[in-house]
Amino acid sequence: MNNQARVKTILLLAANPRDTSKLQLDVEVREIDEGLQRAKKRKQFKLEQKWAVRSRDFYRAILDTQPQIVHFSGHGAAEDGIVLENEMKQMVYVQADALASMFKLFARKGVECVVLNACYSEVQAEAISQYVKYVIGMNKAVGDEAAIAFAVAFYDALGAGLDIEDAYELGKSQMMAFMEHQTPVLKKNELTDVSTTFETDVIPPNPYQGLSAFGEEDAAFFFGRETFVNELLQTIRKQPLVGVIGPSGSGKSSVVFAGLIPQLRSEGNWLISSFRPGNQPFYQLACALVRLLEPELSETGLLREAAGLAGDMQQGRITLQQVAYSIKERNGGKRLLLVADQFEELYTLCQKEEQEGFADAMLAAISQENLTLVFTLRADFYSYVLSYRPFRDALQQFTPQLLSSMKREELEDAIALPAQKLEVQLEAQLTQRILDDVGQEPGNLPLLEFALTRLWEKQENRVLTHQAYDEIGGVKKAIANHAEEVYQQLNESQQKQAERIFVQLVRPGEGTEDTRRIATRAEVGEDNWGLVSYLAGYQARLVVTGGDLTPLPPFPSREGGIESPSPRRGGVGGEVSFAQDTVEVVHEALIREWETLRKWINANREFRTWQERLKVGLREWKNNNHDSGALLRGVPLTVAEDWLHKRTEEMTQEERDFIQVSVRQRKRRQQFLVFGLSGVFAVISGLGGFSWLQWRQAQQIQIGQSEALANYSTELWNQDKKFDAFIEALRSAKPLRSKDNPPLQVVATLLNAVYNVKERNRLQGHSSGVSSVAFSPDGKTLASGSDDNTIKLWDVATGKISQTLTRHSSGVSSVAFSPDGKTLASGSDDNTIKLWDVATGKHSQTLTGHSSGVWSVAFSP
């Protein structure tokens, strides 16, 4: 016991937020670790390493490890504080008073030395030194290499048995080569006792998550789901496929990331990576795999390798099981776990072909037992998964874990235990009051967390009060009240912008609830992005922004210059930016509870429902290499023109272009038709004006090709090939474009073709408008799709209906024959594609997955 008591824990906290210049923190941590490993007094020290990007990561790591020495590596900015991130991944400063308040508590728990290896951190060191005996800070900007030299020498000295003051002097000496040996400052305070009272005006960091899911780093404050997590843990050990399925807001992501994964990592024999499918599921999967394959890759290298791997997997050149096998081989046979979070994105953002291809890739891999797949799925998308037979069969074999509302005692733990861990109390009966308001609705969990987050900010003397709870509007109204408060603080112009933004972040439900969607910067409007940034900020927290990382030149520093190749630990430059910015509402609870947003959705429902259908048509057009057959036509085009006129500012440039190209295509078709008919009628009307003499003169000239074509046309006519005869007759009229007069034989043939063929091929039988027609490859059968919900097959030779196909429940928008003519495909406004056997007219298959009408169908060659 005495030997154990002498062991000191050193906690290395490293932070390099995304919008700050890149530091060599991994080098610093590694060299400190290596130095301690070979030190004479190694057994006297225990080294813990944590990436503490957020404020809550900072204090949670100290609470979890109970260190005697805390070492922070990162950026600092004098009075502004050390640089971390908030929950929205935006850069924030933690000021001296907040750090001092934390370390007043931590000193009671054994912290005796703090090293702030960041620029201008002397201000924070001075504040902390009131409560901690030894604190080291930097009195100016410090270079990255000099900072590393100081840290390595400091811990080498401790490992050799020197005390903190001697270690400090050795560290300074190693900075002389960089002319920075006067930069570190040691604050020493001869403390005999630390007061057990707290500053009542300083609020400790918030342990609740608001509308965000608990992450792996939040595990120490995740309470209430222990039973479910234990069951999930047992299932993971028995099944290669585990679905965590539950309603929106039931905590699916939290139980996986804050509950399951920390326990698996503690076992030491798991490799774990996670991804969200998004609209590029193979690419997102590839990113997760490359992180395991090559963990040392730079962000640029990750992007490049992931793009190549995604293409190979999608084309079948490399399989997921092959990649999984390679990962396991490189890691001594450890078990591989992939987590596909928010799996419903596969069905809301991807086409059916990609959905099935991705599912096939995942199912093939788990069948080889090379990996374990966990996916979280919203319950209202369960039918989408079951509609694909291979996936349905897999879920029948590997039972999913169903997550519902938390029991009352579980909710009580989620409320009380995080506060208790930070020594904050709830007033008598407040917990019970909150529980009564939460009820048993599964979607209320994020609202509870958000209410607790707001309540925490209003605590008095480390007590959460009934009065504060009344002020925030309770559980159900907290998020709505907060959103309305943010909205009312906007000026009139910004409020209009807010409506424009939020209606694009909601996908109108068609038979389901309205759901959130990820919108691009273009979709919400470039001019509105400044407001988006504010709404995503720490004070608003109503939306979440993101995007695909792409390397860019360094950002300007705060002083206006460009960061140097060896960055300083006070810079706020960066190395990455977003190629395509995106935004989404912070949680679907906002859609349900905020009345103003509900009004916006209902007022814009017709437009947004149509716009989502337009996006489907646009994707089909792009996927078909801008084939004119996939353009809008008929009634859909007329409707699109109307919306373009009314709401053009709310469409992306791609959407506007799609409609305008469709309009131009329609004009070309009309012009072609008018030109063709004009030519025919000109021929017919001109015939009566020919005199016998003119005919005799023309006859001497008009022989050859025209007469040959006319003879061929007559021959076809006699063979009952009247449609072919009509075509050849029109070809024989080509000389009429010249000044010469046509031969009588050509005129007679043309007249016969125009009058007779026209009458014998007029097809009538539909009870409503015809939206699409297609000829079979042999030209003998014509298929027509109509708004009367039917498809009719016609015998071209007789013009008679041979079959009527009647399985669609809405208008038929498109028909197409397979290259061999044996199968007919039809697309309908009932959101389905049906396949038919042409010979029998029987329906053979229904393809589902579209969320709106199908405007175009086509077979591959």
Side-chain angles (χ1 to χ4, degrees):
M1 293 294 294
N2 292 335
N3 289 337
Q4 182 64 30
R6 288 195 295 271
V7 175
K8 291 186 177 182
T9 297
I10 301 171
L11 173 61
L12 301 180
L13 296 172
N16 202 162
R18 66 168 66 189
D19 290 333
T20 59
S21 55
K22 184 72 172 178
L23 299 175
Q24 301 179 75
L25 301 185
D26 54 336
V27 175
E28 180 175 348
V29 172
R30 184 173 64 250
E31 293 196 11
I32 291 173
D33 187 23
E34 291 174 354
L36 287 174
Q37 289 289 348
R38 60 175 179 266
K40 293 180 180 179
K41 305 290 185 179
R42 178 67 182 91
K43 293 183 179 180
Q44 295 183 10
F45 295 97
K46 176 185 177 183
L47 188 64
E48 296 281 354
Q49 306 172 24
K50 301 285 184 181
W51 280 91
V53 176
R54 303 178 305 173
S55 175
R56 65 176 53 173
D57 301 331
F58 195 101
Y59 74 76
R60 288 175 179 178
I62 298 175
L63 288 171
D64 291 343
T65 59
Q66 301 288 301
Q68 284 69 52
I69 300 174
V70 177
H71 179 99
F72 172 76
S73 297
H75 289 291
E79 288 80 4
D80 287 340
I82 62 173
V83 183
L84 299 177
E85 283 184 356
N86 61 23
E87 287 71 22
M88 309 304 294
K89 300 189 181 300
Q90 296 172 322
M91 186 180 66
V92 294
Y93 299 97
V94 181
Q95 297 181 339
D97 59 348
L99 284 174
S101 176
M102 278 194 282
F103 279 104
K104 187 171 185 178
L105 169 63
F106 300 148
R108 293 173 55 223
K109 297 181 180 296
V111 174
E112 57 189 48
C113 177
V114 177
V115 179
L116 300 177
N117 204 9
C119 294
Y120 307 108
S121 55
E122 182 183 9
V123 177
Q124 288 74 46
E126 182 70 38
I128 295 171
S129 68
Q130 301 173 72
Y131 312 110
V132 177
K133 186 173 182 178
Y134 296 106
V135 186
I136 298 172
M138 304 294 172
N139 60 19
K140 60 181 181 180
V142 58
D144 199 23
E145 294 180 3
I148 294 173
F150 173 82
V152 172
F154 180 82
Y155 291 103
D156 279 350
L158 291 183
L162 300 183
D163 61 20
I164 288 177
E165 293 182 51
D166 289 340
Y168 162 72
E169 292 296 335
L170 180 62
K172 286 178 60 177
S173 71
Q174 298 306 301
M175 301 178 75
M176 294 186 68
F178 304 95
M179 302 300 290
E180 296 191 35
H181 55 286
Q182 299 297 326
T183 302
V185 177
L186 173 66
K187 305 288 182 180
K188 180 181 178 182
N189 192 339
E190 295 295 343
L191 300 170
T192 58
D193 184 37
V194 177
S195 171
T196 57
T197 61
F198 292 96
E199 297 286 345
T200 58
D201 59 341
V202 177
I203 298 174
N206 202 321
Y208 301 107
Q209 282 298 106
L211 295 174
S212 301
F214 281 81
E216 191 174 346
E217 66 278 6
D218 306 309
F221 290 85
F222 181 61
F223 296 101
R225 287 292 196 184
E226 291 79 6
T227 299
F228 185 88
V229 170
N230 288 335
E231 292 174 353
L232 185 59
L233 192 61
Q234 296 305 315
T235 305
I236 289 292
R237 296 192 174 107
K238 295 183 293 185
Q239 296 183 183
L241 175 67
V242 181
V244 179
I245 301 173
S248 174
S250 57
K252 301 178 293 296
S253 298
S254 295
V255 298
V256 172
F257 288 99
L260 174 67
I261 291 179
Q263 292 203 39
L264 292 178
R265 286 203 194 278
S266 68
E267 295 177 1
N269 64 332
W270 285 88
L271 298 167
I272 303 171
S273 193
S274 64
F275 66 98
R276 283 173 56 175
N279 61 357
Q280 300 180 76
F282 280 99
Y283 174 73
Q284 299 300 335
L285 170 62
C287 285
L289 295 171
V290 171
R291 290 189 185 98
L292 295 175
L293 275 170
E294 303 183 61
E296 300 300 322
L297 270 182
S298 66
E299 194 69 42
T300 304
L302 171 64
L303 292 168
R304 185 181 299 111
E305 293 297 323
L309 179 58
D312 288 338
M313 288 195 297
Q314 196 160 11
Q315 298 299 322
R317 292 186 291 269
I318 296 177
T319 65
L320 175 55
Q321 53 263 42
Q322 289 172 328
V323 181
Y325 180 80
S326 178
I327 292 173
K328 294 176 70 174
E329 282 289 298
R330 295 187 184 192
N331 292 274
K334 288 184 177 182
R335 299 187 67 180
L336 174 60
L337 175 71
L338 287 179
V339 177
D341 191 31
Q342 300 187 37
F343 201 68
E344 60 271 9
E345 290 181 347
L346 185 68
Y347 302 98
T348 60
L349 302 176
C350 303
Q351 297 298 309
K352 187 176 182 65
E353 182 179 356
E354 189 166 28
Q355 294 168 13
E356 295 180 353
F358 188 73
D360 288 340
M362 304 299 288
L363 295 174
I366 65 169
S367 69
Q368 300 297 317
E369 299 184 355
N370 278 334
L371 62 85
T372 299
L373 172 67
V374 174
F375 68 93
T376 66
L377 179 75
R378 266 180 40 185
D380 53 334
F381 283 87
Y382 197 19
S383 61
Y384 288 76
V385 175
L386 297 179
S387 67
Y388 186 49
R389 183 58 184 265
F391 215 151
R392 187 204 71 84
D393 292 345
L395 291 179
Q396 188 169 17
Q397 181 180 3
F398 305 117
T399 306
Q401 299 298 295
L402 305 181
L403 187 65
S404 187
S405 57
M406 295 173 71
K407 297 178 181 178
R408 189 176 178 92
E409 56 269 25
E410 293 175 326
L411 287 171
E412 185 172 0
D413 287 347
I415 296 170
L417 294 184
Q420 179 180 318
K421 195 162 187 176
L422 289 173
E423 302 184 33
V424 173
Q425 298 178 341
L426 284 85
E427 277 188 340
Q429 299 302 311
L430 179 57
T431 300
Q432 302 306 314
R433 183 183 174 191
I434 295 173
L435 288 171
D436 291 340
D437 287 347
V438 171
Q440 292 300 306
E441 297 180 25
N444 275 352
L445 188 56
L447 299 184
L448 168 64
E449 282 290 318
F450 182 79
L452 291 169
T453 303
R454 296 296 309 278
L455 186 62
W456 187 268
E457 297 165 359
K458 293 180 174 291
Q459 64 181 262
E460 297 178 6
N461 301 326
R462 291 183 177 263
V463 176
L464 306 181
T465 67
H466 285 277
Q467 180 180 347
Y469 187 66
D470 290 334
E471 290 175 2
I472 67 171
V475 171
K476 294 183 178 179
K477 294 299 181 183
I479 179 62
N481 290 345
H482 169 64
E484 191 63 25
E485 287 174 8
V486 172
Y487 174 67
Q488 292 300 333
Q489 291 172 1
L490 304 176
N491 60 39
E492 184 177 351
S493 174
Q494 290 171 329
Q495 289 181 349
K496 292 180 180 178
Q497 286 180 291
E499 179 179 0
R500 165 81 167 82
I501 292 166
F502 276 102
V503 296
Q504 288 293 330
L505 305 186
V506 179
R507 186 186 306 277
E510 297 184 83
T512 60
E513 289 186 358
D514 298 333
T515 57
R516 65 177 172 180
R517 66 179 293 269
I518 299 175
T520 64
R521 187 168 183 152
E523 287 174 327
V524 300
E526 181 69 34
D527 295 341
N528 300 321
W529 197 255
L531 182 59
V532 168
S533 298
Y534 170 76
L535 294 172
Y538 189 74
Q539 293 181 337
R541 296 185 182 180
L542 295 181
V543 300
V544 177
T545 55
D548 297 325
L549 288 174
T550 298
L552 288 178
F555 280 27
S557 68
R558 296 183 66 197
E559 291 74 22
I562 299 296
E563 290 293 341
S564 61
S566 178
R568 314 293 284 182
R569 296 198 170 195
V572 192
E575 293 186 333
V576 294
S577 180
F578 291 120
Q580 184 179 35
D581 294 304
T582 60
V583 57
E584 59 184 314
V585 294
V586 72
H587 198 278
E588 288 180 356
L590 193 65
I591 299 174
R592 295 195 303 268
E593 300 295 334
W594 187 18
E595 185 177 350
T596 297
L597 179 53
R598 297 298 314 160
K599 290 179 180 178
W600 289 341
I601 295 170
N602 291 331
N604 292 276
R605 184 173 299 278
E606 185 181 0
F607 168 68
R608 285 290 296 117
T609 300
W610 167 82
Q611 191 176 34
E612 287 300 308
R613 292 177 179 174
L614 179 72
K615 293 179 188 297
V616 173
L618 172 59
R619 283 196 296 268
E620 298 249 352
W621 181 55
K622 292 168 65 177
N623 291 340
N624 285 302
N625 296 317
H626 301 89
D627 179 33
S628 61
L631 290 170
L632 302 175
R633 60 184 66 202
V635 174
L637 178 54
T638 302
V639 173
E641 284 185 285
D642 185 50
W643 283 121
L644 181 63
H645 176 71
K646 294 176 181 177
R647 311 285 285 265
T648 184
E649 294 300 321
E650 297 171 61
M651 299 182 194
T652 66
Q653 187 61 51
E654 276 192 333
E655 291 167 354
R656 292 193 290 265
D657 289 345
F658 179 49
I659 297 171
Q660 290 165 351
V661 170
S662 298
V663 171
R664 289 196 293 270
Q665 178 66 15
R666 182 183 62 189
K667 288 181 178 178
R668 282 194 291 269
R669 289 197 303 268
Q670 291 173 340
Q671 290 170 350
F672 178 80
L673 179 61
V674 170
F675 175 80
L677 291 176
S678 297
V680 171
F681 285 119
V683 171
I684 296 170
S685 62
L687 294 176
F690 290 128
S691 65
W692 175 257
L693 180 60
Q694 289 173 321
W695 176 80
R696 289 287 298 166
Q697 293 173 341
Q699 189 179 40
Q700 301 300 318
I701 302 172
Q702 299 297 336
I703 56 175
Q705 184 181 12
S706 293
E707 290 184 333
L709 288 171
N711 290 333
Y712 182 51
S713 174
T714 301
E715 182 180 344
L716 290 172
W717 187 274
N718 294 332
Q719 295 175 9
D720 206 24
K721 297 181 180 180
K722 296 180 175 56
F723 195 80
D724 293 335
F726 179 52
I727 294 173
E728 298 303 326
L730 290 176
R731 288 180 180 173
S732 72
K734 184 176 179 181
L736 294 173
R737 296 173 59 186
S738 67
K739 294 181 181 180
D740 299 314
N741 297 319
L744 183 58
Q745 183 182 11
V746 175
V747 173
T749 301
L750 183 57
L751 282 171
N752 183 51
V754 169
Y755 286 109
N756 289 296
V757 174
K758 179 180 178 183
E759 286 301 316
R760 293 178 63 84
N761 288 275
R762 181 180 295 161
L763 310 181
Q764 295 176 327
H766 283 292
S767 60
S768 188
V770 176
S771 302
S772 179
V773 294
F775 279 99
S776 62
D778 62 6
K780 295 180 179 179
T781 304
L782 176 72
S784 60
S786 169
D787 293 338
D788 64 9
N789 306 356
T790 71
I791 302 161
K792 294 185 183 297
L793 301 181
W794 310 77
D795 183 281
V796 173
T798 64
K800 294 181 178 180
I801 298 172
S802 59
Q803 296 184 75
T804 299
L805 315 181
T806 60
R807 292 291 293 273
H808 280 293
S809 60
S810 190
V812 179
S813 305
S814 181
V815 291
F817 281 95
S818 62
D820 62 5
K822 294 180 180 180
T823 304
L824 179 73
S826 59
S828 169
D829 292 337
D830 63 11
N831 306 354
T832 69
I833 299 171
K834 294 185 184 297
L835 301 180
W836 313 81
D837 183 282
V838 174
T840 64
K842 292 183 178 180
H843 165 249
S844 60
Q845 193 173 358
T846 297
L847 309 180
T848 60
H850 286 290
S851 59
S852 60
V854 179
W855 296 347
S856 177
V857 292
F859 283 91
S860 59

